[in-house]
């Protein structure tokens, strides 16, 4: 890699230096195993905590806003820290940042489990987000440095399989622990997993740093990018509460745009930028980043409503709803390593396009779900979505990380994770607004059409908020016949809103399939340069 006129690195890549090997230390497949344990801990935590939130609220006497901060604090810390954390790995070594991330995440989890106040839970959830941000880009940076080009797809495929498996296990494990042990056990489970990951990391991982790795920090760039990411994600989180046209929402969105613009201008002037803008001269890398945002928009935004559909429309427990989602996550688990093989043989473009087309078809299929849809039909659409997402998770990750220079692999890993966070937050916010609009336009007429007593504006507003998440606004003590009619109206209205949201998610998936046409495989280290004795 060379340095451009303004200090921006060009994308002429140097072969990765061969890692030092002592016995099993530095072995590529053992390296993959070591980082997979750490990644499993973070991704498991991403879904397991949602099941515990009601128990935390009851036990600690938390308000709804405080419970929301248990999730929002974690997401904000993660989104704001990811790219900076990747840069720390590029500067000080991915092994060190990975191990610090593992240790910090485990200690934060233990403190949360011992907490007797919701303020401590929120504070250390923020700490979890920061340490998780250190861990995730470092894991991808270690894989990028350890595996040669022809093996990297398979490694990322197995990495994706671990992400899928732990994501699937979260609601099920969380439900079992909360129901049979305590909400604290949801956090304590990270401690033994963290100890195992730390032990393997200390004995197996080898530090990888390119000769021309960054030697200084772009502090102003970090501040501007952090401000931009915080303002964007915060606006997306709060938009459903404030309203998209509210002055506060517009102020945070405007502040995000200004910070991003100032960041881009500054990065062209600093000698060692946080994100060399020359990276984005690579069309495949830019396309892979956009693809990751669009994929997360369709997947996470759509999945947000599926959980409400299963639990509130079909009246399933959290554990049962997690089991019903196994076709989706199961196909991601099975499909990820297979996708790695396919991408290795034919390149990422065809699998990525096919994956997003399958995802689009699944979204349009789920738009046809009704309150009475059976398990078999749901499972078929869930399985198709999982099958479509597997090559996208693997391929887009490889396109981003593989097309970045070795000395920027941490930044590229942070960029991949940040794109997922922004896409997921954007999808949840936008599709949530679509749902709210659809429910608002239908509920009053559906209520009246069912012959139910008219609602006051205040009652209608409260009913709409409940129906937006599939909850039927049945008054306490209502006769069974009336309760059944209200539930029918609520379920039909919710499903209509969910269908509209899935149609939009499918359209975004079609757009992602078009973007996938501009991707190509990473031009990372040549065969044998990045790893030995595979």
């Amino acid at each position: 890699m060379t340095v451009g006129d303004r200090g921006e690195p060009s994308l002429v890549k140097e072969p990765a230096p061969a890692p030092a090997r002592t016995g099993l230390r530095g072995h590529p497949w053992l390296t993959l195993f070591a980082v997979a344990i750490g990644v499993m801990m973070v991704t498991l935590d991403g879904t397991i905590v949602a099941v515990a939130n009601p128990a935390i609220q009851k036990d600690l006497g938390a308000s709804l806003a405080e419970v929301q901060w248990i999730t929002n604090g974690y997401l904000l810390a993660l989104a704001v820290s990811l790219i900076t954390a990747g840069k720390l790995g590029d500067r000080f070594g991915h092994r060190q940042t990975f191990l610090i991330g593992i240790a910090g995440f485990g200690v934060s989890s233990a403190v949360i489990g011992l907490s007797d106040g919701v303020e401590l839970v929120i504070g250390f959830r923020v700490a979890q987000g920061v340490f998780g941000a250190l861990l995730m880009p470092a894991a991808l940076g270690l894989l990028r440095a350890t595996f040669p080009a022809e093996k990297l797809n398979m490694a990322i495929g197995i990495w994706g399989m671990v992400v899928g498996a732990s994501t699937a296990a979260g609601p099920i494990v969380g439900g079992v622990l909360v129901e049979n042990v305590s909400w604290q056990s949801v956090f304590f489970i990270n401690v033994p997993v963290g100890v195992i990951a730390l032990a393997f990391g200390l004995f197996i991982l080898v530090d990888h740093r390119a000769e021309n790795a960054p030697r200084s920090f772009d502090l102003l760039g970090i501040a501007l990018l952090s401000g931009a990411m915080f303002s964007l994600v915060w606006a997306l989180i709060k938009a459903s509460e404030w309203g998209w046209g509210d002055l506060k929402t517009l102020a945070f969105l405007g502040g995000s745009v200004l910070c991003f613009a100032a960041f881009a201008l500054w990065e062209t002037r600093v000698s060692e930028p946080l994100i060399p803008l020359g990276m984005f001269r690579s069309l495949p890398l830019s396309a892979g980043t956009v693809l990751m945002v669009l994929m997360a928009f369709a997947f996470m935004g759509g999945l947000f409503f599926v959980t409400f559909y299963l639990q509130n429309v079909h009246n399933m427990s959290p554990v049962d709803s997690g089991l019903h989602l196994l076709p989706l996550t199961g196909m991601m688990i099975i499909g990820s390593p297979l996708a790695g093989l396919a991408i290795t043989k034919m390149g990422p473009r065809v699998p990525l396009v096919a994956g997003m087309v399958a995802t689009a078809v699944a979204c349009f299929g789920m738009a046809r779900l009704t309150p009475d849809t059976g398990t078999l039909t749901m499972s078929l659409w869930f399985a198709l979505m999982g099958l479509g997402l597997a090559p996208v998770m693997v391929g887009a990750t490889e396109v981003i990380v593989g097309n970045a220079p070795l000395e920027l692999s941490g930044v590229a890993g942070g960029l991949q994770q940040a794109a997922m966070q922004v896409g997921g937050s954007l999808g949840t916010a936008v599709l949530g607004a679509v749902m709210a609009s659809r429910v608002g336009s239908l509920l009053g007429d559906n209520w009246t059409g069912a012959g139910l007593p008219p609602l006051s504006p205040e009652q209608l507003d409260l009913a709409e908020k409940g129906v937006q998440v599939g909850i039927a606004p049945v008054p306490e003590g209502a006769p069974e016949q009336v309760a059944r009619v209200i539930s029918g109206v609520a379920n039909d209205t919710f499903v209509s809103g969910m269908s509209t949201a899935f149609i939009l998610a499918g359209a975004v998936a079609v757009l992602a399939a078009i973007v996938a046409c501009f991707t190509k495989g990473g031009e990372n280290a040549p065969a044998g340069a990045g790893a030995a004795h595979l």
Side-chain angles (χ1 to χ4, degrees):
M1 178 172 171
T2 60
V3 177
D5 295 337
R6 290 187 172 180
E8 293 181 354
S10 72
L11 294 181
V12 179
K13 303 178 181 68
E14 299 173 357
R21 289 279 302 276
T22 306
L24 297 178
R25 191 173 175 84
H27 190 285
W29 296 110
L30 291 178
T31 296
L32 173 59
F33 181 74
V35 301
I37 299 174
V39 168
M40 179 182 68
M41 181 174 68
V42 176
T43 52
L44 183 71
D45 199 76
T47 53
I48 200 173
V49 174
V51 179
N53 279 340
I56 296 173
Q57 180 181 27
K58 182 178 179 180
D59 188 41
L60 300 182
S63 66
L64 177 60
E66 288 171 331
V67 171
Q68 289 174 329
W69 264 106
I70 293 173
T71 298
N72 292 341
Y74 176 82
L75 291 177
L76 280 169
L78 191 66
V80 168
S81 306
L82 277 165
I83 293 176
T84 302
K87 192 73 169 185
L88 286 170
D90 291 335
R91 170 65 178 85
F92 294 109
H94 297 301
R95 178 180 183 270
Q96 284 82 343
T97 53
F98 181 83
L99 294 176
I100 291 171
I102 288 287
F105 200 93
V107 170
S108 300
S109 299
V111 174
I112 292 173
L114 295 171
S115 298
D116 57 2
V118 70
E119 295 82 6
L120 272 177
V121 174
I122 293 170
F124 280 92
R125 279 289 281 168
V126 172
Q128 275 189 323
V130 173
F131 287 116
L134 283 173
L135 188 158
M136 295 295 281
L140 286 171
L142 286 163
L143 296 182
R144 165 69 172 82
T146 304
F147 284 85
E150 72 275 9
K151 299 286 186 179
L152 183 60
N153 289 321
M154 176 55 68
I156 292 177
I158 296 172
W159 175 83
M161 180 182 69
V162 172
V163 170
S166 49
T167 301
I172 301 170
V173 173
V176 171
L177 289 175
V178 171
E179 289 178 15
N180 296 286
V181 187
S182 66
W183 68 261
Q184 289 91 342
S185 63
V186 165
F187 296 98
F188 285 141
I189 195 174
N190 290 329
V191 176
V193 176
V195 169
I196 294 170
L198 190 63
F200 269 95
L202 287 169
F203 287 104
I204 299 298
L205 299 181
V206 170
D207 190 22
H208 298 274
R209 271 180 268 190
E211 291 183 3
N212 49 349
R215 299 298 176 189
S216 63
F217 282 104
D218 175 14
L219 296 179
L220 180 57
I222 290 173
L224 289 171
L225 182 61
S226 298
M229 290 294 290
F230 177 87
S231 298
L232 175 60
V233 176
W234 183 243
L236 295 176
I237 287 172
K238 301 296 287 185
S240 61
E241 177 186 336
W242 291 341
W244 286 94
D246 187 88
L247 184 60
K248 295 189 289 293
T249 304
L250 296 176
F252 275 101
L253 289 175
S256 176
V257 171
L258 289 176
C259 285
F260 274 123
F263 172 75
L265 179 63
W266 173 251
E267 294 301 276
T268 64
R269 300 176 181 273
V270 67
S271 59
E272 284 202 20
L274 176 62
I275 303 178
L277 299 186
M279 286 177 63
F280 296 101
R281 293 178 189 145
S282 167
L283 179 60
L285 185 147
S286 298
T289 304
V290 173
L291 176 61
M292 189 63 75
V293 172
L294 296 177
M295 181 277 295
F297 181 107
F299 172 44
M300 296 183 185
L303 195 63
F304 177 76
F305 295 109
V306 170
T307 55
F308 292 125
Y309 171 74
L310 294 174
Q311 293 185 31
N312 295 336
V313 176
H314 283 273
N315 298 313
M316 296 181 188
S317 69
V319 174
D320 286 339
S321 65
L323 290 172
H324 274 74
L325 285 172
L326 280 179
L328 189 158
T329 48
M331 289 308 297
M332 291 180 67
I333 295 168
I334 296 169
S336 293
L338 296 178
L341 282 173
I343 292 168
T344 299
K345 289 183 178 297
M346 65 179 70
R349 186 173 300 156
V350 172
L352 284 173
V353 172
M356 285 316 308
V357 168
T359 302
V361 172
C363 286
F364 292 136
M366 283 190 278
R368 298 173 61 85
L369 295 176
T370 71
D372 301 318
T373 299
T375 298
L376 178 60
T377 301
M378 286 190 285
S379 297
L380 290 174
W381 293 124
F382 294 162
L384 181 61
M385 175 169 273
L387 188 63
L389 289 170
V392 182
M393 288 288 292
V394 176
T397 300
E398 194 278 333
V399 165
I400 295 170
V401 177
N403 277 289
L406 177 63
E407 62 271 23
L408 296 175
S409 57
V411 169
L415 184 64
Q416 181 264 358
Q417 290 290 313
M420 280 196 66
Q421 292 296 323
V422 169
S425 298
L426 187 62
T428 302
V430 171
L431 296 185
V434 169
M435 167 66 83
S437 176
R438 184 66 173 165
V439 169
S441 66
L442 291 179
L443 183 59
D445 290 340
N446 289 351
W447 189 277
T448 303
L452 292 167
L455 297 172
S456 68
E458 293 80 11
Q459 290 173 324
L460 181 59
D461 182 62
L462 287 174
E464 287 177 359
K465 289 179 179 177
V467 173
Q468 287 168 18
V469 291
I471 297 175
V474 179
E476 187 175 348
E480 183 179 345
Q481 178 67 24
V482 174
R484 190 160 45 244
V485 173
I486 292 175
S487 295
V489 168
N491 291 344
D492 289 340
T493 305
F494 170 83
V495 167
S496 179
M498 185 179 72
S499 296
T500 304
F502 267 119
I503 289 171
L504 178 56
V508 170
V510 171
L511 177 60
I514 296 172
V515 172
C517 295
F518 297 95
T519 60
K520 70 174 183 177
E523 299 172 356
N524 56 345
H533 302 42
L534 285 175

